[in-house]
């Protein structure tokens, strides 16, 4: 059974930092491209960042320079480091694992206060 479990969300002040983690099980993690998405209430899910099994990471233009995605294949975990967070509506950040099939976690909520 494939499971992706996100953690690290919470309430943070504007300008602060947060590191999200997504721990995977049930897949050969190193073979999967991993990604992070976010969804605010009433809005469509938005792609944030992706890191392939090999190669360079990519980022949405809206987060470039403030967010870093990384992975630790030995720990079956992908991370999302977010700096200089901007205040706004809470969003649920979810990770995805992509190969022939896509898998999704349930997400972790991030709220940035003014």
């Amino acid at each position: 059974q494939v499971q992706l479990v996100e953690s690290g969300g919470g309430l943070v002040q504007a300008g602060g930092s947060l590191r999200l983690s997504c721990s995977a099980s049930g897949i050969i993690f190193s073979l999967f491209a991993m990604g992070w998405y976010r969804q605010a209430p009433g809005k469509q899910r938005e792609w944030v960042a992706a890191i392939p099994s090999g190669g360079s990471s990519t980022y949405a233009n809206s987060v470039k320079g403030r967010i870093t995605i990384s992975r630790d294949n030995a720990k079956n975990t992908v991370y999302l480091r977010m700096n200089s967070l901007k205040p706004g509506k809470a969003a649920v950040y979810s990770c995805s694992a992509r190969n022939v099939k896509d898998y999704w976690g349930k997400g972790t909520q991030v709220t940035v206060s003014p």
Side-chain angles (χ1 to χ4, degrees):
Q1 182 183 0
V2 178
Q3 279 194 315
L4 300 177
V5 181
E6 300 92 339
S7 61
L11 177 65
V12 62
Q13 283 191 324
S17 299
L18 209 57
R19 189 181 80 158
L20 307 182
S21 301
C22 170
S23 180
S25 59
I27 59 172
I28 303 175
F29 182 79
S30 61
L31 298 182
F32 279 72
M34 302 299 296
W36 283 96
Y37 292 74
R38 64 186 178 191
Q39 186 170 22
K43 292 193 174 182
Q44 288 196 339
R45 186 166 58 196
E46 173 190 22
W47 171 73
V48 175
I51 184 167
S53 58
S56 301
S57 305
T58 52
Y59 299 91
N61 286 335
S62 59
V63 303
K64 274 183 183 176
R66 297 188 296 113
I67 285 184
T68 303
I69 188 171
S70 61
R71 64 190 297 161
D72 185 337
N73 288 342
K75 295 182 178 180
N76 288 359
T77 301
V78 62
Y79 303 98
L80 191 71
R81 174 74 179 182
M82 303 187 291
N83 300 319
S84 304
L85 286 164
K86 297 179 180 180
K89 289 185 179 180
V92 174
Y93 283 73
S94 303
C95 70
S96 70
R98 171 167 290 181
N99 195 306
V100 174
K101 191 174 178 180
D102 292 350
Y103 299 96
W104 292 88
K106 293 183 179 180
T108 183
Q109 183 158 304
V110 174
T111 305
V112 183
S113 63

